[in-house]
Amino acid sequence: MTQSADLMELREEDIRSHYPAVVAMLEGFDHTPRIAKATDRPAPERSSGIGTRRRFRSTTPGLVTRSTARPEGVRLLERIEESDGGDALVSPVQATVMQSLRRALAISLAVGENYSEATGLKALKKENLEGRLAAGQSAEFSELLQAEALAVLYTFGNAAAFLLASSASEVSVELGGIDELLTDNAQLALHGALWELDQDLERFADNEAKLVAVVLAFAEVLMERVALRAQTAPRLGAFTGASWRVEADDFTIQGFSPARKARGSTLTMQFKKPNEVVGNHIAKYQAMKLAKMLMAYDFERKLNPFAEMGGFIFTFMGDGKPGTGKTTLIQMMAGLISEYCTNAGYPFRYQNFGIDNIDSYQGKSGQNAKAFINNVLDPNVIGFGTVDDIDQIAGKRGDRQSSAGQQEVTAVLMEAFAGANTVVRGNCTFGMFSNYPENVDDALRQRAGARFLVDGPQTRDDYIDILALLLGKKHDVPLGDHDLYAAQEIKRAVARSFEQHGRPQEDGLLRVWQETEAKIGRLDTIAKLGTYLKAIQEADERFTGRAIKNITDAVKVRAMDFELPDEWMEDPELFLFRPYDEKLAMLEEMRQPITVEMVIQEINRYADSEFRYADKSDEVAIEAMVRDFGRQEEAKRRYLGGKGGA
């Protein structure tokens, strides 16, 4: 054992010394569950004459193979082999899972051995075996055994999750809790955990993708349960106060903190190019800028210069009518980030939180939302998280029609996006999308720092462009008198779109604007702009200090109203791989001064969206009441007509 600063090396020979015992454990052991109950599932029928196991099996004497004496026998290697439908040979994925479990178990036992030596537990074990353990030491002995069991269990889950991270896919499995959490001693603890894993594999691992997903999900649940139990357990200082390094795996053990491997997600979505997004000029422009902003993140400093300068978009809301291009915008932005990350060799992680993550079990929806947030926030990756149809996923507080799961999601998102513990590093961004943003909780909606109005094609040129795009090239229809895609030229279109917000677009806000200008004249000073903001607040009480912060953040983004050169994305040495301070200086040189026009446009853009949401919400409520009144009148007419006929 060597030590460097506070990080100790977990020697390879110490880990490998546990391989024989671990292989025997994976081959098979008997375990009668003490707390949990086995799943009552009949074994699958097999045709006569077909063997129940592979021909190539270990024949090492002493190892448990297939026992028929006790139904509680756990044979994980056989269980893993069954995940591919009975192929005669072990597949690469199955072999990876087997190797990872063997390695994780061996690492956990090596850590337990180190803990045992550091705390004197090793000597107490020897005395207990020899019958020399003093009566006054029994309580200490039991506490140390429990602490060792917790350390070994957590390290096993931590190592398994770390080693299998690179084999993960988009397939996910939702497991229940872990009941067979035994802490009498390390070996019994591992037997209980492996029994639980065997149960989960039997229930869910019907293909190789699910095999990996089950083991990863099990490891996460195991770590969560063990860490919770450890909060009240004594004698864990020797484990939590030390750090071990497994050099061969680039794996660090630091108490009850999970080790994360920087891995990206394998995306199967169909990416879109910017020219395939017709209309939505401001939304498209901001999404393209944001994709490049993310790439400025410095992995050594764990900070993005844009976040330090105040021009980074951490959360945004994309809203528009159905069919206006929200999904296309997501595909474009994810495609750009994926392309940039591939070129730079950065891990990219995209994750969507959808309606299928809402669970009927109390607390599970909140856990799913928390896992989604943590996966995207991981400072070792470039992350992009989306919440599509957020009006269906996150419930309004106080709304009786919202389920408990939806309320849990709302609470988690609000805390993550602008809570007391929120840290914006600039390595990730979250986009919330909705066709009906007026149905989103007001406080959650205001957590969105930027607003992307996804209004689809608007002009005649837009409609010609989208028709030509969707028709494709395999047709004989002439284009006619039109400069194809010229209207989509981003800088000209964006400038035109921003100019439109020099005056409000919504009628309610326009009245406030006109009344304010009539009283104090042209809005050209901070004092006059503040007066305008107060007038907006008087017209809409939801326009609070958070709205002002979102507006000023948007103005700072406008001050960064430059697009990082494409060459910087193509050749990472020009910018991405530069030291943090150099990147910061390069961006400072490109910063533009903040003008009155910028501030007015951003106030109107944000306030227009809030007035639009309020108007929609009121109009929907009025239409619902009108329908109800109409039904009542029709019911009364039919009722009176029926009585008259009688």
Side-chain angles (χ1 to χ4, degrees), residues 96-156:
T96 299
V97 173
M98 293 176 181
Q99 294 277 2
S100 297
L101 288 176
R102 182 183 70 167
R103 184 75 175 170
L105 286 166
I107 290 172
S108 69
L109 289 173
V111 168
E113 198 171 63
N114 276 262
Y115 172 86
S116 185
E117 290 178 357
T119 58
L121 176 60
K122 184 176 182 180
L124 292 176
K125 287 180 179 178
K126 183 178 180 181
E127 292 177 8
N128 183 59
L129 285 174
E130 296 173 351
R132 297 187 295 107
L133 187 67
Q137 292 180 303
S138 59
E140 177 189 0
F141 184 50
S142 296
E143 289 178 353
L144 286 170
L145 285 175
Q146 180 189 28
E148 181 193 28
L150 291 171
V152 166
L153 278 177
Y154 191 89
T155 303
F156 166 54

Side-chain angles (χ1 to χ4, degrees), residues 419-436:
N421 298 319
T422 302
V423 177
V424 179
R425 300 181 183 274
N427 68 302
C428 65
T429 188
F430 292 89
M432 299 176 281
F433 295 85
S434 175
N435 295 326
Y436 306 100

Side-chain angles (χ1 to χ4, degrees), residues 543-602:
F543 201 79
T544 62
R546 186 175 297 280
I548 312 304
K549 182 184 183 302
N550 291 338
I551 290 169
T552 55
D553 285 347
V555 171
K556 292 173 185 176
V557 172
R558 290 285 299 278
M560 308 290 173
D561 204 3
F562 52 82
E563 189 175 357
L564 300 184
D566 290 333
E567 299 79 43
W568 290 7
M569 302 296 116
E570 296 166 3
D571 184 358
E573 297 290 345
L574 295 177
F575 176 74
L576 302 183
F577 293 169
R578 295 283 187 92
Y580 179 84
D581 292 332
E582 286 188 28
K583 288 193 284 191
L584 183 62
M586 293 169 72
L587 295 177
E588 285 281 8
E589 291 180 1
M590 302 175 73
R591 188 202 293 261
Q592 300 179 16
I594 294 174
T595 64
V596 172
E597 287 72 21
M598 280 186 194
V599 179
I600 290 176
Q601 290 169 2
E602 292 307 320

